[in-house]
Amino acid sequence: MNSASSRSRTLKTVGALGMAAAAAVLMTGCGQSSDSATSAATSEAAKVVPQKQTTSPSASAELTEDQQERKKVLDATKVTFDDAATTATGEVAGGKLVDLDLEGVDDDDRESPSPTATGSPTGTASPTGSASPTGTASPTGTSSPSASPGAEGPVWVAEVAEKDGTVHTVRINAVDGKVIEARVDADQDADDKKETADRLAQVTQTPQQAAKVATEKKKGTVTSVSLDDNEGNGVMWQVDVVGSDWKKTTFDVDAKNDTIIREETDND
């Protein structure tokens, strides 16, 4: 009896030890499987992250130089075309807006306002830029493109005409809306004033109305409005609109009935 009981206790002890060993093996195997799965997931994540990082810069790289410049200036501009127009005309008693341009946006492509472009004094004044009278007068038409936004930030440059055609240049800070400068253009002669007055006499639609027509056709930001001759067929407002794609579309809008005469998109 004592011998049989001793053998039974020995077998139970061996069995318990065997079960403990088996459990230890199973736990070790599970730990290795879990570690392997975690390592594989980490490796896959490492492959994905660099791909997301490399795609983001390509969006800005697709913009042309002109589009990047428009974006830069418009991102800094806080004063809208409408507000700048109101401020500019408020500087000249009874004055009417004939030109308003946001400096730094397509200045190289922009022509000088028609009244000063056709007047001979503007053409002859540029060679004598060293003389102080012409030096102060030149910003009205020919030198505004070169006066790109500097420390003062983006600037609206307006030309406001009196009833007799006398043009005043008004420069407005496009961030805070304050007037930087307001003065009479010194390089106008009698013919220049008459031409401006004659064009204004034909206008029945405001530049704000022309801008509204243009932006209804293309959603975007108005960066320029200018009164111009419609190739001998009356007068028109030339309106530049920059869309969300940073491309510029120029609309020629009849200044008598607000119909769009033509439009052209600059893909640069």
Side-chain angles (χ1 to χ4, degrees):
M1 287 291 292
N2 291 338
S3 177
S5 176
S6 176
R7 285 196 300 269
S8 176
R9 286 196 298 269
T10 301
L11 289 172
K12 287 180 180 180
T13 301
V14 172
L17 291 173
M19 292 178 65
V25 171
L26 287 173
M27 290 178 66
T28 303
C30 290
Q32 290 177 343
S33 177
S34 175
D35 292 343
S36 299
T38 303
S39 176
T42 303
S43 178
E44 289 301 317
K47 294 178 182 178
V48 174
V49 172
Q51 294 176 357
K52 290 183 179 180
Q53 291 176 340
T54 54
T55 56
S56 55
S58 62
S60 59
E62 291 176 358
L63 296 178
T64 66
E65 184 176 344
D66 287 343
Q67 290 167 353
Q68 290 177 19
E69 187 63 24
R70 292 172 195 139
K71 183 179 186 303
K72 178 182 177 182
V73 176
L74 289 176
D75 282 348
T77 298
K78 307 303 179 185
V79 178
T80 65
F81 156 78
D82 288 335
D83 289 340
T86 300
T87 300
T89 52
E91 290 294 310
V92 181
K96 292 185 177 181
L97 189 72
V98 293
D99 186 86
L100 182 58
D101 177 48
L102 183 60
E103 282 188 342
V105 178
D106 300 291
D107 286 336
D108 292 339
D109 299 332
R110 182 173 168 75
E111 295 179 358
S112 300
S114 300
T116 53
T118 55
S120 57
T122 309
T124 56
S126 56
T128 56
S130 57
S132 56
T134 53
T136 56
S138 57
T140 40
T142 56
S143 72
S144 57
S146 62
S148 56
E152 62 189 2
V155 175
W156 285 104
V157 179
E159 293 196 348
V160 182
E162 298 178 34
K163 188 175 181 179
D164 67 353
T166 300
V167 174
H168 298 243
T169 293
V170 182
R171 293 172 60 85
I172 301 165
N173 188 306
V175 177
D176 59 22
K178 295 180 180 179
V179 175
I180 300 170
E181 177 188 30
R183 58 178 174 73
V184 177
D185 292 352
D187 61 347
Q188 302 170 84
D189 61 13
D191 289 338
D192 293 331
K193 295 179 181 180
K194 183 178 184 305
E195 183 178 35
T196 300
D198 288 346
R199 288 182 177 178
L200 281 173
Q202 300 178 59
V203 174
T204 58
Q205 303 297 316
T206 66
Q208 289 87 343
Q209 288 172 312
K212 184 175 183 292
V213 170
T215 51
E216 284 178 348
K217 184 68 181 294
K218 177 181 178 177
K219 300 299 181 184
T221 302
V222 176
T223 59
S224 176
V225 176
S226 178
L227 183 63
D228 205 347
D229 178 70
N230 183 22
E231 299 177 354
N233 297 314
V235 290
M236 65 183 185
W237 290 108
Q238 193 170 72
V239 184
D240 288 348
V241 179
V242 175
S244 58
D245 55 2
W246 307 110
K247 294 180 181 179
K248 179 194 72 174
T249 299
T250 299
F251 294 90
D252 291 344
V253 183
D254 194 299
K256 289 186 176 182
N257 55 30
D258 270 355
T259 58
I260 296 176
I261 302 168
R262 66 184 67 86
E263 65 179 90
E264 181 179 357
T265 298
D266 182 359
N267 292 314
D268 292 336

